[in-house]
Amino acid sequence: MKHALLLLALIAAPVAAPVAADPSTPPAALANTQLRDPAQEAKARDLMATLRCLVCQGQSIADSDASMAGDMRALVRGRIAAGETPDSVRAWLIERYGDYVSYDPPLSAATWPLWLAPIALLVLGAVIARSSFRRRRR
């Protein structure tokens, strides 16, 4: 009897996991609702396109269906509707979640490798290509 219940639990767990993962709370009020003022909504949408979903990591909060992205969309719209500028909302989000929330992180001690690595790799590739071409000429 114990083995049958254990087997049933092991079979039911993968089926029940997605249901348990779905948030039971409704989405935030402004998560999927546009602002009434088209200018404010345009500012909010432009800002949301530049902010990374912290759950998905590969999508902006404008494109993500994650509940946290919905909460962040509602937060952005609420602050824009309250009269804040997109730059101040972005600064607040970066202060709260770190530079990772932005697709365009500022140059700082923590992010300089991200900015300099592509340049260093290009220089390294040019040096390797140059030495390879010189060897072939000889």
Side-chain angles (χ1 to χ4, degrees):
M1 182 71 171
K2 284 184 180 179
H3 295 324
L5 287 175
L6 180 63
L7 183 63
L8 181 63
L10 288 174
I11 292 171
V15 174
V19 173
D22 193 28
S24 60
T25 57
L30 293 173
N32 301 314
T33 305
Q34 293 184 358
L35 296 173
R36 291 177 188 236
D37 182 2
Q40 286 182 334
E41 179 63 24
K43 288 180 188 177
R45 282 189 180 272
D46 289 345
L47 178 57
M48 288 185 284
T50 66
L51 297 171
R52 184 187 319 263
C53 174
L54 299 173
V55 176
C56 307
Q57 299 178 0
Q59 291 181 306
S60 70
I61 64 171
D63 298 331
S64 175
D65 290 331
S67 62
M68 182 164 189
D71 292 342
M72 290 175 74
R73 286 192 303 271
L75 188 140
V76 167
R77 283 186 174 119
R79 286 181 169 250
I80 295 289
E84 288 188 45
T85 64
D87 289 336
S88 66
V89 176
R90 174 192 297 287
W92 183 83
L93 286 167
I94 289 173
E95 181 181 319
R96 183 168 182 173
Y97 296 112
D99 290 332
Y100 186 75
V101 75
S102 174
Y103 276 121
D104 187 20
L107 184 59
S108 68
T111 61
W112 71 265
L114 294 173
W115 289 98
L116 295 180
I119 296 168
L121 290 172
L122 281 172
V123 169
L124 180 66
V127 168
I128 291 171
R130 183 177 178 194
S131 66
S132 176
F133 289 139
R134 281 187 175 179
R135 276 189 234 146
R136 286 188 183 175
R137 269 196 242 163
R138 293 181 190 175

